[in-house]
Amino acid sequence: MTTDLSSSSTPAAPAPNLLARLLRAREASLILILLTLVAVTTAANPRFLSAQSLRDLALNVAIIALVVVGQTLVLLMKHVDLSVSSVLGLTAFLSGSLFVAHPGMPVWLALLAGLGIGAALGAVNGLLVAYGKVPALVATLGTLYVFRGVDYAVVHGGQITASNLPPAFSAFASGSVLGVPTLVLLVLAVMVGFSVYLRSYRSGREYYAVGSNVEAANLAGINVGRRVLTGFILSGAIAGLAGVLYLARFGTVDAAAGTGLELQVIAAAVVGGVAITGGVGTIAGAGIGALLLGVIGSALVALRAPAFWQQAIQGALLLLAISIDIILARRAERALQERSHR
Amino acid sequence: MSVSKKPARSLLGWETTILALVIVALLIGSTLSDAFLTGANLSNLSSNLVEVALIALTMTLIVIAAEIDLSVASIAGMCSALLGVLWAAHVPMPLAVLASLALGTLAGLFNGWLVTRLGLPSLAVTIGTLALYRGLAYALLGDRAVADFPPFWTNLGFGLVPGTQIPIPIVAFAALAVVTAVTLHATPFGRSLYAIGASELAARFAGLRVERTKLLLFTLSGLMSAFAAVIYTFRFSSARADNAAGLELAVIAAVLLGGVSIFGGRGSVTGVIGAVFLIGIIQNALTLADVPNEILTIVTGLLLILSVLGPNLAAQVKASRERQRHAAAARGGAP
């Protein structure tokens, strides 16, 4: 089983250091896969790289990538937030209703409302997990149902359509700066902001500490409860913001909006190297994971893969990505151990 | 009096609570609507929850062993699609059913192989196969629906045991529930699941064959999902690629509400069956009372949260009270 692996690697030649480091730098290998995929697809169908299809791709990926940012914060702490899809659906409808009630409302107010509603919903999760000691999987599976139920109760069979939305919001939705859609820029800004926060701020580092070893984090003087609560509030707020962007992107929202999104989000994070066992991962990696899944999806369309096979192929690739990831991680770990023994 | 009994929330306690809640739900249901406590309604009620109940049996075993299987509903969809495709291709029905069961078993085996051989976390693996198997369901059947199943077979799905109001699938469920309960609670294999769930490392040191056990669990889960798919297909007389979509969350909700710890090592089959029926009864009673569907969703979610939050809060209150008493005793007893 594992013997052949270790025996072949023990006397290994001075391992190609650059390659090893590249493999360990998760983002680099993902980008390599991404570029290969884009190159192959473009060779087969040049229209894959057309401005319009790139724009569609970016917009589709942006919303998932945004939700992944919040999910990453939670996953880093060895928790999970399954309720993001319901938060997104509920805020999408509520912000739409706000526009219906107050057509003159400025766009920034809608974004703020989405953030606020999402944060409130996230606080419910955070309180349950941090202070109610309910395991995150149970708590957020429960609120996945509760928030969706509230959504259905509020929507009550109705829906928001693009015609309900004021021109200012539609302009925001279709607007772009230097050819890059405003929505995408907004998401990129959030990603960069949280990357810097996680990398360079004390409280940002605490997410890693909590996920690596709760007791150690506690002994180190980290207020674990407050950190977990904050993480869930941020995850909710970001999902709420994503809800407003969802409304902007699609214009039409009913009670089922965003259903099932939670698994895509977790899949993107996992492919992007965020360990569901906590303590490992970056926003950049998670974002690239979302991008990779999005590119796979649209590449299959561009390559004219049979429509009904696309989901199966995506599933297989997802599985492959997860498997390769863990094998590489384990190799790197073993190499590290061998080096320290020598 | 001084030393309280060690397990603050014994399983017996939670099972009794669930049972009491079932009775309360039955009572409230009967006051809400006269149609509730009739044989026909109870029959219909149990018929509606049979797929969730079946899959919950194997999910109980998996969660007790500290793993999870999110792909169950996708396996069911894939097996339902295969059943439809084979029947549409004029394969004899017994053969088509067997092929579906075999496919489910293989799908479960593949999950188990990925988890045990590659050492991947089951949450990640089964998120992947959730997408893969549902995709294969669409690859098999597209958006077509196969519906012209012969009456003998559809009767197995929604028919009653002659002379009674008991749905035929519920008989199968009862038999499998007994087998599962005995296996879990009265065999070395069952006890080994608790050991693995409580501490995999300790279980390994104790000589338990952790990998083989987990492989078997995921395979059984696949087989059970396929069995549920066959019943689902015949019950609705319809094979579709999106059959049973989203069922995994209902199953996991029932298992967790039934007192199985998501961290493994604790839980019982009785508790889970009680929870499946509790959810079914509440949904049925509220539907009969014309309570809108959205409230049902909210109630399910709240129940799930409260089932863990309630005992936790009670334990915290008890602990703080004990601390106060100790403090008071220390003050009073000081010389």
Side-chain angles (χ1 to χ4, degrees):
Chain A
M1 272 168 53
T2 48
T3 42
D4 53 337
L5 258 178
S6 51
S7 63
S8 69
S9 65
T10 310
N17 228 338
L18 185 73
L19 189 72
R21 208 177 307 158
L22 215 66
L23 285 181
R24 223 172 303 143
R26 170 87 213 175
E27 291 85 356
S29 60
L30 279 178
I31 288 175
L32 211 66
I33 297 174
L34 202 57
L35 290 179
T36 317
L37 191 64
V38 171
V40 170
T41 313
T42 314
N45 180 356
R47 295 228 317 265
F48 181 63
L49 271 191
S50 75
Q52 183 55 41
S53 73
L54 278 183
R55 193 184 148 83
D56 282 344
L57 174 66
L59 283 172
N60 286 338
V61 169
I63 291 171
I64 298 275
L66 180 59
V67 183
V68 174
V69 172
Q71 189 71 248
T72 303
L73 295 178
V74 176
L75 286 173
L76 281 178
M77 295 186 295
K78 213 175 177 173
H79 291 299
V80 68
D81 187 353
L82 291 177
S83 72
V84 285
S85 56
S86 298
V87 173
L88 182 145
L90 186 54
T91 47
F93 188 82
L94 287 180
S95 55
S97 315
L98 272 179
F99 275 124
V100 173
H102 311 281
M105 185 175 70
V107 172
W108 61 265
L109 203 59
L111 294 174
L112 214 60
L115 277 172
I117 298 167
L121 298 175
V124 174
N125 288 330
L127 288 173
L128 285 171
V129 175
Y131 299 107
K133 304 287 173 218
V134 181
L137 197 71
V138 181
T140 59
L141 179 59
T143 52
L144 169 92
Y145 284 114
V146 174
F147 297 160
R148 185 62 70 182
V150 172
D151 192 12
Y152 273 102
V154 174
V155 176
H156 213 76
Q159 64 172 12
I160 304 278
T161 61
S163 62
N164 297 133
L165 301 172
F169 192 60
S170 309
F172 163 72
S174 56
S176 60
V177 180
L178 297 173
V180 184
T182 323
L183 296 189
V184 175
L185 287 176
L186 187 61
V187 171
L188 281 175
V190 173
M191 292 179 72
V192 170
F194 273 96
S195 277
V196 172
Y197 169 64
L198 278 183
R199 189 186 289 267
S200 314
Y201 284 80
R202 185 190 158 83
S203 57
R205 301 308 300 171
E206 285 181 5
Y207 288 93
Y208 291 92
V210 170
S212 303
N213 190 333
V214 185
E215 277 152 39
N218 220 338
L219 290 174
I222 294 173
N223 187 337
V224 174
R226 206 181 56 191
R227 186 54 45 218
V228 172
L229 177 61
T230 313
F232 275 99
I233 290 176
L234 287 173
S235 173
I238 291 170
L241 180 63
V244 184
L245 299 192
Y246 186 96
L247 177 70
R249 165 92 173 101
F250 296 103
T252 302
V253 169
D254 62 11
T259 308
L261 197 92
E262 67 279 351
L263 292 179
Q264 286 181 53
V265 168
I266 296 171
V270 170
V271 167
V274 181
I276 54 176
T277 46
V280 177
T282 61
I283 301 283
I288 297 171
L291 186 60
L292 185 59
L293 290 187
V295 169
I296 289 172
S298 56
L300 287 175
V301 178
L303 295 174
R304 296 199 183 75
F308 291 123
W309 275 95
Q310 282 173 14
Q311 199 187 342
I313 296 171
Q314 253 178 315
L317 288 176
L318 170 62
L319 217 50
L320 196 68
I322 299 170
S323 308
I324 290 175
D325 176 41
I326 203 104
I327 291 168
L328 287 183
R330 221 162 280 150
R331 285 229 170 134
E333 198 178 318
R334 200 174 299 142
L336 219 69
Q337 273 174 359
E338 270 166 23
R339 194 140 30 113
S340 64
H341 278 305
R342 220 165 277 161
Chain B
M1 198 57 216
S2 58
V3 182
S4 60
K5 269 174 273 158
K6 190 86 201 208
R9 27 185 313 222
S10 74
L11 267 177
L12 196 71
W14 183 243
E15 277 172 28
T16 320
T17 314
I18 284 277
L19 200 70
L21 286 174
V22 168
I23 293 169
V24 170
L26 282 173
L27 288 176
I28 295 177
S30 61
T31 60
L32 283 178
S33 155
D34 289 338
F36 178 74
L37 265 188
T38 59
N41 183 55
L42 292 181
S43 167
N44 175 43
L45 181 164
S46 44
S47 196
N48 280 334
L49 51 74
V50 71
E51 292 90 8
V52 169
L54 281 169
I55 302 176
L57 290 176
T58 39
M59 189 70 85
T60 303
L61 306 183
I62 287 186
V63 178
I64 285 177
E67 299 285 349
I68 199 159
D69 185 352
L70 290 178
S71 71
V72 285
S74 294
I75 295 181
M78 180 171 71
C79 295
S80 178
L82 181 70
L83 189 62
V85 165
L86 291 181
W87 177 245
H90 308 294
V91 173
M93 190 55 92
L95 217 59
V97 169
L98 278 181
S100 292
L101 295 178
L103 179 65
T105 311
L106 273 180
L109 187 68
F110 184 57
N111 281 337
W113 182 80
L114 287 170
V115 169
T116 57
R117 187 65 197 262
L118 294 185
L120 300 172
S122 53
L123 190 70
V125 165
T126 56
I127 282 178
T129 52
L130 174 140
L132 173 64
Y133 296 154
R134 183 65 68 185
L136 288 175
Y138 279 103
L140 274 169
L141 200 53
D143 52 6
R144 288 180 294 147
V146 178
D148 55 338
F149 295 108
F152 169 79
W153 293 91
T154 54
N155 187 52
L156 290 182
F158 58 67
L160 303 176
V161 177
T164 68
Q165 300 262 32
I166 303 169
I168 295 170
I170 282 292
V171 178
F173 166 71
L176 285 169
V178 170
V179 172
T180 312
V182 169
T183 309
L184 180 63
H185 300 298
T187 66
F189 174 76
R191 278 198 298 278
S192 76
L193 301 186
Y194 288 99
I196 291 170
S199 168
E200 195 175 309
L201 198 64
R204 243 180 252 283
F205 279 124
L208 294 177
R209 308 183 70 160
V210 177
E211 263 69 42
R212 214 173 57 169
T213 307
K214 285 186 178 173
L215 190 67
L216 181 64
L217 287 184
F218 281 100
T219 311
L220 284 177
S221 177
L223 173 61
M224 191 67 99
S225 305
F227 185 58
V230 172
I231 290 179
Y232 190 105
T233 312
F234 289 145
R235 198 157 74 82
F236 293 99
S237 303
S238 169
R240 295 176 52 90
D242 64 352
N243 272 359
L247 208 71
E248 68 278 352
L249 292 185
V251 170
I252 291 165
V255 168
L256 298 179
L257 178 62
V260 179
S261 163
I262 192 68
F263 301 119
R266 213 180 53 204
S268 76
V269 172
T270 344
V272 172
I273 294 174
V276 171
F277 275 86
L278 180 61
I279 295 174
I281 290 167
I282 291 175
Q283 300 203 330
N284 175 279
L286 292 181
T287 311
L288 281 183
D290 283 331
V291 173
N293 249 319
E294 48 262 37
I295 305 296
L296 301 186
T297 318
I298 296 177
V299 168
T300 310
L302 283 180
L303 259 178
L304 184 57
I305 294 170
L306 288 177
S307 72
V308 182
L309 186 63
N312 279 0
L313 290 184
Q316 279 181 21
V317 169
K318 197 176 158 198
S320 82
R321 223 179 256 160
E322 214 123 280
R323 243 178 286 125
Q324 278 172 5
R325 211 172 38 211
H326 277 289
R331 253 180 281 130

